[in-house]
């Protein structure tokens, strides 16, 4: 049953507020100032995000989608009259800038939580700061290994490491792969995380990796690697390449006239640009998703996200799904608070929260009291067919727990 929440100002009892909060599972009711529900000083709840916007990558679509979701609630009067005051800080992929951005949000802006962050290095640089300052981050897009190994950070995405295990699981269980080979680009401190992903796959499936190559270059000739896969007898190759390298790899495979290998990619390979660039290939190409496939615009699971993004004139991308979902999780948690929304009350609500399901994700989201957080463990697999991504798994592929 949805929890009824008091509203202290009749102005906020509009039909728009009712519709917006109903979508979050937050009811409204006439009441007095003493009615249960979240309250706030000066009518605002301060929240922030540290994201890489300028520099070698642009993840701005993640926090901008979070902002769009917050704007929708604010336009309807807020949560129980509390509006979200959201600040996006650009870390410029610079550790010093990232550290300063976090300190400013925590100490000067007095953020109660971080929501919708997406950064090349925020987790690694600021994880210890978040723990020391006792503030928690609902990451919109966890990128590096530190995002999934911190007590104060819990991403809403599956992440590259769990997704590696899940795609290997799919290869074994569905594609019936007997000789799975993995080729990884190693950037920063990701080597151990990718090795553990394969070890987890081995524990779950009882198989052994046929080839594990951790030397795949970010740039350069890929011919030696596709020849290695062919000569080793790999029946499936799993790699963590991003969009340009995915295209380069498959074109190299075609140039070498290699057949009989399934090519599996992680979420960065699932883009419309990749589909168009590889429209003529006959290679069997698969990619895992982190959320409901964003290209499925008729999917009921995508309906609320699409409506929110269209209203804000934001593009329909996987990145915006992550930002939107992070906002939904935060709003649900805030809606569960009886009393003033502070850093302490948000922390307490996150630590004690029950798992929250959302149609965008195949796993319920929970923060909880663990020392590490990787709550999302489900993917949908896409297959490339003549220049278009097609849903290969109508149901979510749920990764079993590692025993």
């Amino acid at each position: 049953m949805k929890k009824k929440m008091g509203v202290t100002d009749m102005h906020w009892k509009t039909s728009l507020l009712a519709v917006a909060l109903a979508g979050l599972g937050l009811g409204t009711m006439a009441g007095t100032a003493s009615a249960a529900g979240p309250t706030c000083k000066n009518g605002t709840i301060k929240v922030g995000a540290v994201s890489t916007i300028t520099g070698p990558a642009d993840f701005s679509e993640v926090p901008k989608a979070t902002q769009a979701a917050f704007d929708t609630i604010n336009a309807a009067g807020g949560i129980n009259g509390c509006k979200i005051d959201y600040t996006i800080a650009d870390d410029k992929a610079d550790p010093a800038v990232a550290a300063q951005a976090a300190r400013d949000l925590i100490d000067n802006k007095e953020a109660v939580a971080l929501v919708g962050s997406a950064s090349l290095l925020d987790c690694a640089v600021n994880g210890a700061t978040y723990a020391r300052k006792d503030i928690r981050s609902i990451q919109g897009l966890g990128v590096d290994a530190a995002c999934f190994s911190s007590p104060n950070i819990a991403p809403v995405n599956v992440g590259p490491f769990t997704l590696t295990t899940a795609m290997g699981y799919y290869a074994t269980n569905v594609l019936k792969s007997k000789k799975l080979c993995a080729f990884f680009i190693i950037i920063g401190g990701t080597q151990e995380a990718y090795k553990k992903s394969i070890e987890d796959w081995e524990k779950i499936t009882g198989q052994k990796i046929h080839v594990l190559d951790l030397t795949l270059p970010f740039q350069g000739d890929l011919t030696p690697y596709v020849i290695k896969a062919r000569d080793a007898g790999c029946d499936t190759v799993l790699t963590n390449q991003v969009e340009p390298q995915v295209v380069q790899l498959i074109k190299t495979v075609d140039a070498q006239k290699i057949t009989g290998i399934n090519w599996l990619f992680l979420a960065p390979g699932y883009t419309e640009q990749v589909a168009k660039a590889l429209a003529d290939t006959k290679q069997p190409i698969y990619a895992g998703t982190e959320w409901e496939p964003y290209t499925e615009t008729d999917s009921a699971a995508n309906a609320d996200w699409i409506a929110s993004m269209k209203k804000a004139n934001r593009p329909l991308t996987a990145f915006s799904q992550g930002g939107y979902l992070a906002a939904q999780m935060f709003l649900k948690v805030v809606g569960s608070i009886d009393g003033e929304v502070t850093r302490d009350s948000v922390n307490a609500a996150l630590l004690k929260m029950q798992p929250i399901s959302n149609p965008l994700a195949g796993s319920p989201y929970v923060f909880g009291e663990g020392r590490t957080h990787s709550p999302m463990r489900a993917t949908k697999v896409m297959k490339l067919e003549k220049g278009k991504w097609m849903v290969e798994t109508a149901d979510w592929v749920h990764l079993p727990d590692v025993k």
Side-chain angles (χ1 to χ4, degrees), residues 4 11 45 54 140 161 168 221 270 275 279-280 329 377 384 396:
K4 300 288 185 177
H11 172 70
I45 299 169
T54 56
F161 313 110
D221 185 14
Y270 165 47
D280 295 332
M329 297 301 106
R377 296 179 62 80
L384 191 57
W396 294 93

Side-chain angles (χ1 to χ4, degrees), residues 255-267:
Q256 293 297 318
K257 297 181 170 56
I258 294 173
T259 60
I261 300 177
N262 295 310
W263 302 92
L264 272 59
F265 300 97
L266 305 184

Side-chain angles (χ1 to χ4, degrees), residues 165-185:
T165 309
M167 289 303 288
Y169 177 72
Y170 172 78
T172 302
N173 278 27
V174 179
L175 300 180
K176 305 303 179 183
S177 172
K178 299 299 182 184
K179 293 183 178 181
L180 176 66
C181 301
F183 292 79
F184 293 126
I185 298 170

Side-chain angles (χ1 to χ4, degrees), residues 117-239:
S117 297
S119 167
L120 290 173
L121 42 69
D122 167 50
C123 298
V125 170
N126 294 320
T129 299
Y130 298 155
R132 186 175 65 255
K133 294 287 188 177
D134 198 23
I135 189 170
R136 282 163 175 79
S137 175
I138 301 176
Q139 206 85 6
L141 183 71
V143 178
D144 68 67
C147 297
F148 303 91
S149 59
S150 166
N152 286 64
I153 302 170
V156 299
N157 64 314
V158 179
F161 313 110
T162 299
L163 191 54
T164 292
T165 309
M167 289 303 288
Y169 177 72
Y170 172 78
T172 302
N173 278 27
V174 179
L175 300 180
K176 305 303 179 183
S177 172
K178 299 299 182 184
K179 293 183 178 181
L180 176 66
C181 301
F183 292 79
F184 293 126
I185 298 170
I186 301 301
I187 299 175
T190 60
Q191 177 167 307
E192 291 306 311
Y194 278 116
K195 288 171 66 176
K196 184 180 184 302
S197 297
I198 296 300
E199 290 169 2
D200 288 347
W201 166 80
E202 291 178 333
K203 291 176 182 177
I204 290 170
T205 64
Q207 292 197 22
K208 290 293 182 182
I209 195 73
H210 188 60
V211 171
L212 177 59
D213 190 316
L214 303 173
T215 68
L216 196 65
F218 192 76
Q219 293 180 326
D221 185 14
L222 299 179
T223 303
Y225 295 90
V226 302
I227 295 299
K228 180 177 181 178
R230 181 197 66 189
D231 292 349
C234 306
D235 58 22
T236 303
V237 168
L238 171 60
T239 177

